[in-house]
């Protein structure tokens, strides 16, 4: 599985045709498998937003089509301070996988006889967003932040297009891999202050055992939402990465990113609801 690496657009490639994700944004509502949860304390009970509820909010922003430059997106309520909890089925890894940035995964290591489930974050750069949306993300308040977004996706719509050939300024020809994805995610600025925490689980298993268990494995991520700017908790836009000679990948991502920080990772057996593994994130 290829790791995401920040890539700069090559000026010689700027003339390449890129597929817009606007049709995907309008025709595919992001969905998530989640259950409503209530967090109760001795003094109060707080409703937790599910992945489905967050997807519905994101879709209202995503489907907005301005009539002209004076139209503004619909006002969304601030979600700062609210809890979220989404439950998703991890995606299978492999040579022909269709995994979005930050999507949870499951892998069976046949040579080692173990099943591994992980929620690894992906990275996105605000500078990759096209148009005004690249300016919608504020400057990181933390001076130790690196200007990259650390995202955990809970919806993923992935399309792999036919490869195409392109030439650079010197006439060299390259085979370009083209993909379009549509995601809804929880994200924050990546910072050196962020302490590592365990978001993976593994279990020794035979092939038959892993096959049966992996069908019922779910990952639940919970945390707290914030605002990117006062009153604005989600930003939607299109991120584009053009291919270069060293990185021949043409990637277009339609993303809605909620500002938030996961603080609880759980692996669940959907057959019984049993929590097989749990890991809490320590404050920075």
């Amino acid at each position: 599985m290829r790791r995401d690496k920040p890539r700069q657009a090559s000026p010689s490639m700027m003339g390449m045709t890129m597929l817009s994700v606007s049709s995907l944004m309008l025709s595919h509502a992001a969905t998530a498998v989640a259950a409503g949860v209530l967090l109760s304390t001795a003094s109060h009970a707080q409703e937790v937003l599910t992945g489905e509820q967050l997807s519905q909010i994101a879709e209202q922003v995503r489907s907005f089509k301005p009539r002209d430059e004076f139209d503004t997106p619909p006002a969304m309520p601030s979600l700062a301070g609210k809890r979220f909890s989404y439950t998703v089925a991890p995606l299978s890894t492999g040579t022909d996988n269709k995994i979005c940035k930050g999507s949870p995964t499951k892998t069976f290591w046949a040579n080692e006889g173990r099943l591994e489930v992980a929620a690894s974050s992906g990275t996105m750069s605000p500078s990759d967003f096209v148009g005004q949306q690249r300016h919608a993300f504020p400057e990181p308040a933390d001076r130790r932040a690196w200007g990259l977004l650390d995202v955990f996706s809970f919806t993923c719509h992935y399309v792999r297009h036919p490869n195409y050939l392109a030439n650079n300024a010197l006439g060299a020809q390259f085979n370009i891999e083209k993909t379009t994805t549509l995601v809804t995610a929880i994200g924050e600025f990546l910072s050196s202050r962020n302490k590592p925490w365990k978001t993976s689980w593994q279990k020794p298993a035979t092939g038959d055992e892993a096959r049966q268990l992996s069908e019922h494995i779910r990952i639940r991520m919970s945390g707290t939402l914030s605002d990117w700017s006062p009153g604005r908790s989600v930003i939607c836009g299109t991120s584009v990465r053009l291919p270069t000679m060293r990185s021949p990948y043409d990637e277009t991502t339609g993303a809605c990113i909620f500002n938030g920080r996961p603080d609880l990772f759980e692996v669940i057996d959907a057959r019984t609801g049993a929590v097989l593994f749990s890991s809490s994130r320590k404050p920075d």
Side-chain angles (χ1 to χ4, degrees):
M1 181 174 63
R2 178 169 54 82
R3 294 178 180 271
D4 293 321
K5 296 182 179 179
R7 297 189 288 275
Q8 298 296 322
S10 169
S12 61
M13 295 290 185
M14 293 299 290
M16 296 179 182
T17 301
M18 296 173 293
L19 180 67
S20 169
V21 297
S22 59
S23 57
L24 283 176
M25 290 182 174
L26 294 176
S27 59
H28 294 277
T31 58
V33 179
V37 183
L38 287 179
L39 291 182
S40 299
T41 66
S43 59
H44 70 282
Q46 179 185 7
E47 182 181 2
V48 178
L49 293 172
T50 67
E52 184 176 16
Q53 290 172 314
L54 293 176
S55 294
Q56 291 171 353
I57 294 172
E59 191 60 24
Q60 293 182 56
V61 180
R62 178 180 275 136
S63 60
F64 170 70
K65 295 182 65 176
R67 294 167 296 178
D68 52 36
E69 68 273 24
F70 303 104
D71 255 358
T72 58
M76 294 287 109
S78 170
L79 303 178
K82 292 184 179 295
R83 295 287 294 176
F84 69 85
S85 183
Y86 62 80
T87 304
V88 294
L91 303 176
S92 297
T93 61
T95 56
D96 192 37
N97 67 70
K98 294 185 177 181
I99 299 173
C100 300
K101 292 183 174 96
S103 291
T105 60
K106 58 183 178 183
T107 306
F108 178 64
W109 303 95
N111 294 337
E112 302 175 22
R114 63 183 173 92
L115 175 67
E116 182 176 10
V117 180
S120 301
S121 61
T123 57
M124 298 183 70
S125 173
S127 63
D128 289 335
F129 281 75
V130 298
Q132 296 183 4
Q133 293 308 316
R134 72 174 58 189
H135 306 296
F137 294 94
E139 290 293 324
D142 183 358
R143 293 183 178 180
R144 286 178 283 185
W146 300 328
L148 295 175
L149 300 173
D150 193 37
V151 300
F152 290 90
S153 299
F154 55 91
T155 72
C156 169
H157 181 79
Y158 187 107
V159 177
R160 179 176 288 114
H161 304 282
N163 291 4
Y164 65 89
L165 297 177
N167 299 320
N168 66 6
L170 301 177
Q173 194 171 66
F174 302 93
N175 187 47
I176 306 299
E177 179 181 313
K178 184 177 181 62
T179 59
T180 302
T181 57
L182 187 64
V183 302
T184 312
I186 302 292
E188 63 178 340
F189 281 108
L190 193 61
S191 170
S192 58
R193 292 183 58 185
N194 296 351
K195 295 180 180 179
W197 64 306
K198 188 174 179 61
T199 57
S200 64
W201 171 80
Q202 56 186 1
K203 176 182 175 62
T206 65
D208 288 339
E209 291 171 340
R211 181 182 299 108
Q212 182 178 17
L213 179 59
S214 66
E215 294 179 359
H216 303 284
I217 285 292
R218 300 293 183 268
I219 288 179
R220 183 162 64 207
M221 296 287 281
S222 305
T224 302
L225 296 166
S226 302
D227 282 346
W228 291 111
S229 56
R232 189 172 191 180
S233 300
V234 59
I235 294 176
C236 297
T238 302
S239 171
V240 176
R241 287 186 175 181
L242 297 178
T244 65
M245 182 174 63
R246 293 184 178 181
S247 184
Y249 303 105
D250 181 343
E251 300 176 344
T252 303
T253 302
C256 280
I257 305 175
F258 288 86
N259 190 351
R261 161 167 285 203
D263 55 31
L264 180 62
F265 166 79
E266 296 171 289
V267 179
I268 299 170
D269 186 336
R271 294 171 295 188
T272 62
V275 177
L276 305 178
F277 177 77
S278 177
S279 174
S280 298
R281 186 178 196 171
K282 295 181 180 179
D284 293 336

